[in-house]
Amino acid sequence: MNMEVNKIFAAILTAGIVGMLCWFISHEVYEKEPLEKNAYEIAGVPSGGESGAAPAAAEKAEPIDVSKGDVALGAKISSVCASCHSLGKGEPAKIGPNLFGVVGGPHAHMEGYAYSDAMKAHASEKWTEAALNEFLWNPQKTIPGTKMTFMGLKKPEERAAIIHWLETQK
Ligand code: HEC
């Protein structure tokens, strides 16, 4: 029975990864057209295009208590992050940078990774729990121009869970 559950989970995950990769590749191609990008910026339309039509939601992430985050739930959520991020110590970057030890470290913490200018501009700031809470809630809104094309974790308990899990990876 457990095997069946695993199979289903694996199938869903694979579909998700393939979908994300396709989307990401098209996004990368699109991003490399400077003219298009400028036109967007001048028009004041946030890059992210059609998805910008989200319903008028909260302006900021609700505060969370990371120490109460469910580490087991965090481990599950980490498989979503793992489609773009390596998570183990010393592992090479994927589409996104390695995340080992990111909590408490500086923004743009991975040496040699080609961060967006938007992320590099924050390099003097630390990834505190509060900063991660905001970023993971809505990456594009918190750091406009970031190349982390992830819609964010809207549920406070999910953000607390993943941040707590990241902290346990020592
Ligand atoms: C679709 C791919 C994708 C997914 C899914 C994704 N990320 Fe990212 N992430 C990126 C990219 C690309 C960057 C680099 C951002 C930049 O340079 O602007 C990034 C950057 C980050 C950073 C900043 C790292 C640093 O060194 O400053 C953190 C923290 C982060 N991601 C956490 C997460 C977590 C936690 C998850 C899962 C909940 C997640 N990401 C899911 C692509 C992704």
Side-chain angles (χ1 to χ4, degrees):
M1 220 178 46
N2 216 348
M3 274 257 293
E4 282 304 311
V5 174
N6 276 342
K7 268 193 218 154
I8 292 164
F9 185 67
I12 293 169
L13 201 64
T14 310
I17 290 169
V18 169
M20 237 179 291
L21 275 180
C22 292
W23 192 82
F24 203 85
I25 288 162
S26 62
H27 188 76
E28 277 284 287
V29 170
Y30 169 77
E31 284 255 297
K32 289 198 176 102
E33 278 175 29
L35 200 66
E36 287 268 356
K37 214 187 165 203
N38 280 344
Y40 252 49
E41 275 164 14
I42 289 159
V45 177
S47 57
E50 69 273 25
S51 62
E59 281 299 299
K60 273 177 88 63
E62 307 92 314
I64 53 170
D65 183 348
V66 171
S67 68
K68 297 213 173 84
D70 178 348
V71 174
L73 174 63
K76 281 191 198 139
I77 295 170
S78 75
S79 64
V80 177
C81 319
S83 55
C84 296
H85 291 284
S86 57
L87 299 166
K89 188 175 185 175
E91 285 174 9
K94 295 188 183 176
I95 288 165
N98 176 269
L99 288 185
F100 186 86
V102 72
V103 187
H107 289 47
H109 83 293
M110 187 186 187
E111 218 159 295
Y113 177 80
Y115 286 97
S116 63
D117 290 343
M119 186 62 76
K120 280 191 275 188
H122 289 267
S124 63
E125 293 163 35
K126 280 204 170 141
W127 279 124
T128 59
E129 291 176 348
L132 283 166
N133 182 39
E134 286 294 332
F135 183 63
L136 295 177
W137 165 69
N138 190 336
Q140 296 289 331
K141 184 159 183 166
T142 307
I143 300 190
T146 179
K147 57 179 191 170
M148 173 150 146
T149 49
F150 174 67
M151 75 263 245
L153 298 168
K154 300 306 172 213
K155 293 189 185 152
E157 62 271 24
E158 291 183 351
R159 298 192 302 272
I162 185 64
I163 297 167
H164 201 184
W165 181 84
L166 282 167
E167 287 176 353
T168 65
Q169 303 303 103
K170 292 264 142 84

